[in-house]
Every structure is written in C-alpha cells, then in structure tokens.
Amino acid sequence: MKRKLLKKVALFAMTAALCVGAFVPVTAQAAEASAESLVGDWYCAGFDGMTWSGMTSDGMLHFKENGTYDDMWGHSKVYHMEAGSLNIEGSTESYDFWGGWPEDKTIDDAKSNDSNVQIFIMRGSDRMEYGNLTWDSSNNYWEWNDTATWTRVKESTPKKSKKSRAEKEAEEAERLKAEEERKALEQASREAVRLEGEAAELGFKNAAQMQDAKAAGKSADEYYNNAVVTTEGIENAVPVAQGGKLIIDGQTTNASATISKVSSVYVDSVRAAREGTVLNVVDVQFPALEAVVNFYMPGVKAGDNITAAQYVDGTWTDVEAVEVRADHVVLNLKSNGVVAFLMK
C-alpha cells in the first residue's frame, strides 16, 4: 500500500511541471555515461517548491556512489548504468541508463510490478534528459508519462532563483502545447503511412493520386487511363476513354480530352429522352470550343448503329457520329459537356 502511494505521488509530480524544453529522444551516447560522472545533485526549476499531499519537492535529483538516487520527493531509487532501447508508443528510443524502484532489477520487472521507470540520456557532462515511462499492456509498449531536463549543480554556481507561479504556469502551458504538437505530428505520420499503404493496395502510385481519384469517383485503372469504366445506373457499361488525337479546327493536335464520371441523373434523363440502349454517359472536357474526338470503346464493332447526344442547356442535342469502327467511336462535338452513347 505504501509503495502504491509513493508511486502515485511520483506520477503526480511528473505531470505537474517540467523543465526547459520537451524530451526529444535520439540515439544515446552510453560511452559518455558512468556512475562516477553522475554522483552529485541535478536541478530542475520546474519541480522546485512544488507541494502535494504534504510533501514539498526541492527540484533535485541526488545521485549517490552506492548506485541509488533520491528523486525530487525524497524517494530512494536505484539507477543502472545499462544503455539500451525501448519501444515507446510504437517508436524505438535509445537511452544511456535507467532507474526505478529497488525491487525492479530489470526494466521488464517493472512491467509485471506495474511500476514506473525513468530513462536518462546524457547531453554532455552537465545536462541530462529524463523520461518517466509506464507500461501499456493493451498496446504492448511503453508510454511517455512525463519528461524533463536536469542540469548539474556546481559548487561555484548558485542555485537558480525560484520562479513565480505565473512563470511556472506559462512553462507548463508551453510544455502542453509542445506535447500536443508532437502527438499531432506522430498521428499525421501514422496516417500518411496508412494512406500510402492503402494506395499501393488499390494500385495507385501514391496517396495523393489515390485521393484525387476518389474525389472523381474513379478506380486506379480509370484514373491512370483517363477512362470511365463503370457508371451509376448502367449495368455492364461500355468503357469510354480517349482513343486518338483530337482534331481542332481541322488540324490533328496533341491536345487531350478529360473523361469524367457523371451521376445517374444524366443516365435517367437520356433514357427518358432517347431511344436505344444506353452504353455509357460521360463528361468530356477539352481545350477548345469544338473538336472531333476519337473515343476508345472496347467491344464496339464496325457498323454498329451507335448514336450520341450531348446535354446542352437542359436538353439532349444530337451529336454527329463521324465514324464507328472496331473499338472506336469518333464524334464531332460542338461544345464541352456531358455526352451519352446509345445503341439502337
């Protein structure tokens, strides 16, 4: 019961205040750390003078030659000069040495004991970064509880003056903001990885192109082939894509037409207005007022009785079919817009 209370006290302290900056783990330099180099007092102003449940923090970590240290609340813990790395919230982070309750001989012991563990990274000889961790058994990884930066207290250096409550609150607000930004970046990174994986599974080169295609209601094949294969309201629609170069003002050009999907409203409308079987309905856009457009329509045979109509100002207007040959229908379009292909 006493140990549980001490743990709660320590965890409360960790969440109450931090020192300079956010803990940003990088590969540790374990060779720089030794027990002899740690012995002495280390100070963090964010903890100085903090009180909770009758205890007052002195803002100090006291490292001793016997391998123990007193935390800011006076609890005696053990430090282990063992560098390593941990899976913390899904990322592998390295440390120079670690500490915890005396009964935790290894970091794994802290998992079964439901303890908190401290990891330390040395930043030169007079500065260390500290992270307090708890084990998340549901996700099977360690979680950041709190972080802080500690500075060695030198005999020739007077203790820093205590900060006002307003200054501490401002520092805490900055810490919370930095933590929120860190978590947002991690979430954005995870989402980007997820989207790239989804894009690859669906046949897209990247997530941006997948999202463009989704906005247009297209599959990867439709997106990359500038085609419409399926249309709402038409069973077994005949695919439509650009099948040749555009002729503009009587000249063959390298211009392209964009073939896009339309809603079933246009399908219902042309069925009501025209006779024949609707093969497909698409939106056609090209960089001219008029153009002769060669449409690739696999399955069409030479001599098929195919007609076309374009939706203009609320009505369906006949479109000249210049040529119908195997897998191609060539139309003389007088404007951009929605075009329907029908078989009589």
Side-chain angles (χ1 to χ4, degrees), residues 244-255:
K245 295 184 176 181
L246 270 62
I247 299 175
I248 299 174
D249 294 331
Q251 301 294 319
T252 301
T253 71
N254 291 322

Side-chain angles (χ1 to χ4, degrees), residues 32-303:
E32 299 288 331
S34 65
E36 291 78 13
S37 67
L38 294 176
V39 172
D41 295 335
W42 297 75
Y43 179 70
C44 178
F47 288 104
D48 193 1
M50 186 183 302
T51 60
W52 185 79
S53 191
M55 294 180 293
T56 301
S57 167
D58 63 357
M60 304 284 281
L61 293 178
H62 307 275
F63 285 87
K64 304 174 184 178
E65 294 180 354
N66 64 0
T68 66
Y69 67 102
D70 295 336
D71 68 13
M72 65 290 297
W73 304 104
H75 304 137
S76 180
K77 297 184 177 181
V78 178
Y79 62 92
H80 303 266
M81 300 308 301
E82 300 167 356
S85 61
L86 292 176
N87 178 359
I88 305 176
E89 299 182 3
S91 298
T92 300
E93 309 292 357
S94 299
Y95 57 88
D96 289 323
F97 68 99
W98 68 278
W101 296 104
E103 60 265 37
D104 295 333
K105 306 303 181 184
T106 69
I107 289 182
D108 283 340
D109 290 342
K111 298 179 184 177
S112 58
N113 292 335
D114 190 26
S115 299
N116 59 312
V117 168
Q118 292 81 52
I119 61 173
F120 299 84
I121 293 178
M122 298 301 297
R123 302 298 190 195
S125 61
D126 297 324
R127 184 170 170 266
M128 69 171 68
E129 291 180 359
Y130 158 113
N132 192 65
L133 308 175
T134 54
W135 178 249
D136 186 329
S137 57
S138 61
N139 287 313
N140 201 34
Y141 59 44
W142 292 94
E143 283 188 336
W144 292 118
N145 190 341
D146 277 323
T147 60
T149 300
W150 301 79
T151 303
R152 181 187 296 277
V153 177
K154 299 181 180 180
E155 293 182 2
S156 59
T157 304
K159 187 176 179 180
K160 296 180 181 179
S161 60
K162 295 182 179 180
K163 294 186 179 180
S164 67
R165 180 175 180 178
E167 288 174 323
K168 291 180 180 179
E169 289 176 349
E171 284 186 351
E172 176 65 3
E174 285 297 319
R175 183 195 71 82
L176 292 175
K177 180 181 177 181
E179 180 66 11
E180 289 175 0
E181 290 175 350
R182 180 182 71 82
K183 289 182 178 180
L185 286 173
E186 290 179 351
Q187 178 61 31
S189 177
R190 288 192 291 268
E191 179 65 9
V193 171
R194 185 192 69 79
L195 287 173
E196 290 297 336
E198 180 184 348
E201 289 179 2
L202 295 177
F204 291 96
K205 295 178 181 178
N206 55 56
Q209 292 179 352
M210 177 186 70
Q211 291 174 323
D212 287 344
K214 283 186 174 182
K218 287 190 170 186
S219 66
D221 286 340
E222 290 175 315
Y223 178 80
Y224 289 117
N225 292 300
N226 187 27
V228 171
V229 177
T230 61
T231 298
E232 184 182 4
I234 303 177
E235 291 186 12
N236 301 317
V238 176
V240 177
Q242 185 176 334
K245 295 184 176 181
L246 270 62
I247 299 175
I248 299 174
D249 294 331
Q251 301 294 319
T252 301
T253 71
N254 291 322
S256 297
T258 301
I259 314 298
S260 304
K261 289 179 179 280
V262 299
S263 74
S264 61
V265 172
Y266 291 102
V267 177
D268 295 338
S269 175
V270 74
R271 280 192 176 128
R274 296 300 173 105
E275 295 181 355
T277 301
V278 179
L279 303 179
N280 212 335
V281 183
V282 299
D283 184 23
V284 184
Q285 300 293 322
F286 48 84
L289 297 176
E290 301 180 11
V292 176
V293 184
N294 182 344
F295 293 95
Y296 175 65
M297 300 181 65
V300 168
K301 298 179 179 60

